[in-house]
Amino acid sequence: MDAKATPNGVATIEDRILRITGYYGYYPGYSSQKRGDGLQSNTENSTEDAEKSRCQSCTSTFLKFVWGFLIILSVSSSWVGTTQIIKITYKNFYCPFFMTWFSTNWNIMFFPVYYSGHFAMAQEKQTMLQKIRECSRIFGEDGLTLKLFLKRTAPFSILWTLTNYLYLLALKKLTATDVSALFCCNKAFMFLLSWIVLKDKFMGVRIVAAIMAITGIVMMAYADGFHGDSIIGVALAVGSASASALYKVLFKMFLGTANFGEAAHFFSTLGFFNLIFISCTPVILYFTKVEYWSSFSALPWGYLCGVAGLWFAFNILVNVGVVLTYPILVSIGTVLSVPGNAAIDLLKHEVIFSVVRLGATIIICLGFLLMLLPEEWDEITLRFINSLKEKKSEEHTEDVAESSIHTRSRSRANGTVSIPLS
């Protein structure tokens, strides 16, 4: 639509100025058209920007899910591999504390691996000493001092060793499937401890999940009649899960949340503490012949390095997975180790699962999955149901409108008019 012209044929004051100054390419209504073109170009630019941001968000979400799928496979595979190699090692070599100590020493390499990734990928590179000082802030503003090294690292190192040692002891008494399923109860224990100690938000669904975990534990213990190796194995596995839950709650209480660099620094510190202060324990067990081997050449170094390497890879994947994808997918990778171990036990070791044990495993896994529900899961569910209802009502309205239009067109074609009754 053309701008309204004044008696002299000029639409606006701006056009008059352009006409007087003799602007090249001037014609009446030039400025109005220029403003219209500017508005149109701004609209097009904003539309393009919105489409680009939408595409970028879709791409980032897709990449997160791809990384999540890969992390799920890697986490479950590494945990299944660790558990199965331990069972194989026990056939010729049964020294669970030495295996725990040897595997924990590999944590020393955690920070060097992290720094190698930082040095290869970061645009602003820092020296290792600078990075150590930056990441040591997890212990406080002053960094890692000797007092904090002993005060903060000692309890976590003891809980770490206890968790892994009890897990290895349980694998001697139970199948890999039973131990991995019972270890999944650590999620329920962590919620109960966080609720009591950290005053976390109460959630009814997580209480239900905790009850399911306890029910699964009782059923697993009852499977062989509350006697023999079964009840001892269940107690050891539950102890391992409890120590793991306490470790995580204390970490959250004293150290808070940590990024990948701080977590790498902390794991390496645990490895050094284990090497310096806990090395005396396997020596004592060796000379007291509690855990004895004839010579170092007789040790199954291949299996020991396989267990330590897969355990180390599992810890790296769990921490990297939180950065690359959604944390819930990392947890799903952990619970998928249960069917993975079950498949290997069934096909390779020909383990026959009783109905009670199978039911207990399923109940524990369902409780673990319920623990993964977000705090606002009920509001999210209600919103989703309401959106579905709104979509159905909109579709119904569109169908009614289309049918009425079709009816009117047919009536007009037949020479009649439909009069709605009021």
Side-chain angles (χ1 to χ4, degrees), residues 83-84 175-182 220 338-339 341-343 345 353 361:
T83 306
Q84 293 296 329
T175 63
T177 306
D178 294 344
V179 177
S180 58
L182 289 167
M220 195 76 75
V338 178
N341 280 313
D345 285 344
F353 297 102
T361 302

Side-chain angles (χ1 to χ4, degrees), residues 41 58 62 166 319 321 336 348 364 366 388 422:
S41 62
C58 290
F62 176 73
L166 292 175
N319 287 276
L336 284 179
K348 186 176 181 181
I364 290 171
L366 288 175
L388 287 178
S422 57

Side-chain angles (χ1 to χ4, degrees), residues 308-420:
L310 285 173
W311 223 325
F312 180 69
F314 173 79
N315 290 320
I316 286 182
L317 288 167
V318 167
N319 287 276
V320 171
V322 174
V323 177
L324 293 177
T325 184
Y326 303 101
I328 189 173
L329 298 180
V330 179
S331 299
I332 291 172
T334 305
V335 77
L336 284 179
S337 65
V338 178
N341 280 313
I344 295 174
D345 285 344
L346 185 65
L347 298 175
K348 186 176 181 181
H349 304 296
E350 297 181 354
V351 175
I352 298 173
F353 297 102
S354 64
V355 177
V356 177
R357 285 187 181 278
L358 192 61
T361 302
I362 292 171
I363 289 172
I364 290 171
C365 291
L366 288 175
F368 184 93
L369 293 174
L370 283 177
M371 282 288 174
L372 301 181
L373 290 174
E375 292 184 356
E376 303 83 10
W377 71 275
D378 49 349
E379 297 177 4
I380 295 171
T381 306
L382 288 173
R383 267 190 249 123
F384 179 71
I385 293 170
N386 290 332
S387 66
L388 287 178
K389 287 181 179 179
E390 289 175 1
K391 192 179 288 185
K392 283 184 179 180
S393 64
E394 287 175 1
E395 289 177 356
H396 179 69
T397 306
E398 289 176 0
D399 291 340
V400 170
E402 287 178 0
S403 62
S404 63
I405 291 169
H406 184 63
T407 305
R408 288 178 182 176
S409 62
R410 286 183 62 188
S411 300
R412 286 171 183 169
N414 294 330
T416 59
V417 179
S418 60
I419 302 175

Side-chain angles (χ1 to χ4, degrees), residues 22 35 37-38 66 84-85 111 117 144 161 189 191-192 214 260 272 276-277 309 315 318 324 355 357 368 376 399 418:
R35 282 194 297 271
D37 292 342
V66 170
Q84 293 296 329
I85 293 176
F111 190 81
L144 182 61
T161 302
F189 299 152
F191 163 70
L192 293 174
I214 295 168
F260 185 40
F272 277 113
I276 296 168
F277 294 101
N315 290 320
V318 167
L324 293 177
V355 177
R357 285 187 181 278
F368 184 93
E376 303 83 10
D399 291 340
S418 60

Side-chain angles (χ1 to χ4, degrees), residues 64-196:
K64 273 198 169 186
F65 275 108
V66 170
W67 278 114
F69 178 73
L70 295 175
I71 290 292
I72 286 173
L73 291 179
S74 303
V75 167
S76 59
S77 301
S78 60
W79 194 240
V80 169
T82 303
T83 306
Q84 293 296 329
I85 293 176
I86 290 169
K87 294 287 286 184
I88 295 169
T89 308
Y90 279 172
K91 294 178 181 179
N92 301 315
F93 181 78
Y94 181 65
C95 295
F97 194 89
F98 176 79
M99 293 172 67
T100 302
W101 171 83
F102 180 76
S103 300
T104 306
N105 285 336
W106 282 48
N107 284 350
I108 296 171
M109 297 186 295
F110 215 111
F111 190 81
V113 170
Y114 161 74
Y115 182 75
S116 300
H118 162 78
F119 190 79
M121 299 177 65
Q123 293 180 352
E124 296 180 2
K125 295 178 174 55
Q126 294 176 312
T127 62
M128 181 172 278
L129 188 59
Q130 289 175 332
K131 205 64 184 171
I132 289 172
R133 286 174 180 169
E134 179 185 325
C135 296
S136 63
R137 290 175 187 167
I138 188 174
F139 295 98
E141 292 297 327
D142 298 330
L144 182 61
T145 61
L146 181 61
K147 182 181 178 181
L148 284 174
F149 177 71
L150 296 173
K151 183 180 177 181
R152 292 287 172 87
T153 312
F156 290 108
S157 181
I158 292 168
L159 286 172
W160 177 280
T161 302
L162 187 63
T163 298
N164 296 334
Y165 180 56
L166 292 175
Y167 188 85
L168 265 66
L169 288 174
L171 283 172
K172 184 67 176 177
K173 307 290 184 181
L174 300 174
T175 63
T177 306
D178 294 344
V179 177
S180 58
L182 289 167
F183 189 75
C184 287
C185 294
N186 70 336
K187 206 78 174 175
F189 299 152
M190 185 181 172
F191 163 70
L192 293 174
L193 286 172
S194 299
W195 179 41
I196 296 167

